[in-house]
Amino acid sequence: MDHFLYRDGALFAEDVPISEIAAAVGTPFYVYSTATLLRHFQLFDDALEGTDHLVCYAMKAASNQAILKTLAQAGAGMDVVSGGEYLRAKAAGVPGDKIVFSGVGKTADEIRTALTGGIRQFNVESEPEMEVINAVALELGVVAPITVRVNPDVDAKTHAKIATGKSENKFGIPIARASEVYAHAATLSGLEVIGIDVHIGSQLTELEPFELAYTKVAELTEQLRAEGHKIRRLDLGGGLGIPYTRANDAPPLPVEYGALIKKTLGHLGCEIEIEPGRLIAGNAGLMVSKVIYVKSGEDRDFLILDGAMNDLIRPAMYEAHHDIVAVQEPEAGVEQQPYDIVGPVCETGDTFAKQRNMPPLVAGDLVAFRSAGAYGAVMASEYNTRPLIPEVLVHGDQFAVIRERPSFDEIINRDTIPTWL
Ligand SMILES: *Cc1c(COP(=O)(O)O)cnc(C)c1O
């Protein structure tokens, strides 16, 4: 469920007409709904009710500080995957003891930044990284809390580019080697081993892979405890999928996911951490774009939009589907027609949808890409010297620009010219 609904023939974000935002900020832009963000966070928080837990929002999904602050004020922690994300979470007011540091290649500088500013735990991805965290902690005279990310060799049954839990993926240490790695970690005095971490992929639409992975984590917890390690926290990653189209079956709900966690791991008495990103932000955001031209090709019509692959890369990168709707609600009974929906970038890959049925549209009409809140704005680039598009946050009947569209001068003046030219 989201808060982007038609009212009196026009699409709204909560209580604000999309067309009003478009008139104020220009197109294209991203718009997020506060109520939807909070609702999704709350679903996870409620799903784990009765267990000691923290929902750490995976901020790589949508990392604007206004979004982070909205969620942090509701009680969310943050899962960060770079030093930049760590600093951004801190800038949004998230305390260090609610920030979890994941990511496969943390540098000594990033580790130093987090240990200096305060950190809930590092999710360690490899033995060399473990050595560096230990060395930096000793140099700073602190003890770094860590979990080790284990790779359970489970097929997440999702797009290959976002599956992370198979043995051939770069993530975590093989679960079969966990015993050895934990024994070694226990000898490093700069580290305090507090638990286990697992994250098997993104956009999972079934519970079974989670169940396989969490069952393995439960067994590992008992084994490591028997070997003398104090396992008190389990970080279970993120990955629960969202419905990208209303046409197919909806993925499992957070409440079902929470029940699975309790069933597989509840008996261990551990604190539970989860790191959802997509499910919190995905359906809480739209990308709104304008039709520049309707072009009739040999055998098809193209809708050429002012938004492009550099603004929303998911269709080009993951063959992802986004529902695209007209901001002006089509009249009942109006006949739809197929369009290829494309952006102006000079690549055939700049295609959002092929032969998509839409109501008849003309230049100047607005369209909205649904489910664009996660892995949308954060993956945008300035390819073709197109400015990063603005982000807007709606709260009831208010809206605010939370990232401005840069001017062309700002973009162009970032280049510096060598003295020999
Ligand atoms: C990307 C990522 C997440 C979030 O995944 P979603 O599919 O957006 O929920 C959580 N944890 C880690 C370690 C990640 O890399």
Side-chain angles (χ1 to χ4, degrees), residues 218-271:
E219 286 162 11
L220 180 63
T221 303
E222 284 174 341
Q223 183 196 333
L224 292 175
R225 281 178 171 170
E227 290 167 8
H229 302 287
K230 289 202 189 71
I231 304 298
R232 61 182 166 86
R233 182 180 294 165
L234 301 177
D235 183 327
L236 304 176
L240 192 59
I242 64 172
Y244 273 100
T245 161
R246 282 140 207 245
N248 61 8
D249 289 344
L253 300 171
V255 65
E256 298 167 289
Y257 174 68
L260 173 73
I261 290 173
K262 289 177 187 172
K263 184 182 96 177
T264 49
L265 301 159
H267 59 288
L268 296 166
C270 285
E271 181 187 5

Side-chain angles (χ1 to χ4, degrees), residues 46-353:
D46 292 349
L48 293 176
E49 211 193 305
T51 48
D52 185 11
H53 70 273
L54 184 67
V55 178
C56 292
Y57 168 60
M59 65 175 276
K60 74 174 189 279
S63 55
N64 191 290
Q65 289 175 62
I67 293 173
L68 305 187
K69 211 166 180 120
T70 298
L71 293 167
Q73 284 181 358
M78 295 294 151
D79 173 54
V80 308
V81 292
S82 71
E85 283 196 350
Y86 175 86
L87 292 172
R88 199 168 205 155
K90 288 293 290 273
V94 183
D97 64 4
K98 288 182 109 174
I99 302 178
V100 171
F101 204 144
S102 301
V104 82
K106 304 173 199 78
T107 65
D109 276 346
E110 289 177 314
I111 293 161
R112 200 170 291 114
T113 300
L115 279 175
T116 310
I119 191 78
R120 182 175 179 81
Q121 101 238 358
F122 292 97
N123 293 331
V124 175
E125 294 257 1
S126 66
E127 289 156 292
E129 186 189 76
M130 194 160 93
E131 300 288 346
V132 173
I133 296 175
N134 180 58
V136 176
L138 291 175
E139 161 204 317
L140 295 173
V142 298
V143 174
I146 66 154
T147 68
V148 177
R149 176 168 178 179
V150 293
N151 186 323
D153 195 19
V154 164
D155 182 357
K157 298 186 185 158
T158 184
H159 193 282
K161 284 185 187 162
I162 49 176
T164 58
K166 285 289 282 174
S167 58
E168 73 250 31
N169 300 137
K170 67 182 175 179
F171 300 95
I173 57 140
I175 199 160
R177 290 202 50 240
S179 186
E180 193 187 323
V181 173
Y182 275 79
H184 180 57
T187 68
L188 302 175
S189 58
L191 304 181
E192 187 200 0
V193 180
I194 59 168
I196 305 172
D197 171 47
V198 69
H199 170 72
I200 56 173
S202 194
Q203 185 57 14
L204 273 70
T205 53
E206 294 170 37
L207 286 182
E208 197 209 347
F210 288 118
E211 179 157 14
L212 290 172
Y214 296 170
T215 303
K216 289 190 180 190
V217 168
E219 286 162 11
L220 180 63
T221 303
E222 284 174 341
Q223 183 196 333
L224 292 175
R225 281 178 171 170
E227 290 167 8
H229 302 287
K230 289 202 189 71
I231 304 298
R232 61 182 166 86
R233 182 180 294 165
L234 301 177
D235 183 327
L236 304 176
L240 192 59
I242 64 172
Y244 273 100
T245 161
R246 282 140 207 245
N248 61 8
D249 289 344
L253 300 171
V255 65
E256 298 167 289
Y257 174 68
L260 173 73
I261 290 173
K262 289 177 187 172
K263 184 182 96 177
T264 49
L265 301 159
H267 59 288
L268 296 166
C270 285
E271 181 187 5
I272 300 292
E273 255 167 26
I274 55 171
E275 304 167 344
R278 189 188 306 269
L279 203 149
I280 291 182
N283 281 323
L286 305 177
M287 184 180 80
V288 179
S289 187
K290 191 163 66 186
V291 177
I292 312 176
Y293 298 112
V294 182
K295 173 174 164 176
S296 296
E298 188 121 298
D299 63 348
R300 59 189 63 213
D301 289 340
F302 294 93
L303 279 185
I304 303 176
L305 305 182
D306 61 359
M309 64 187 290
N310 68 297
D311 304 311
L312 178 64
I313 193 111
R314 299 193 63 262
M317 182 126 135
Y318 311 112
E319 294 88 38
H321 170 99
H322 285 270
D323 279 355
I324 305 171
V325 299
V327 168
Q328 186 72 42
E329 189 175 22
E331 312 243 323
V334 87
E335 193 154 339
Q336 303 224 327
Q337 63 181 84
Y339 291 105
D340 279 16
I341 304 178
V342 303
V345 162
C346 306
E347 284 201 23
T348 302
D350 188 20
T351 299
F352 291 120

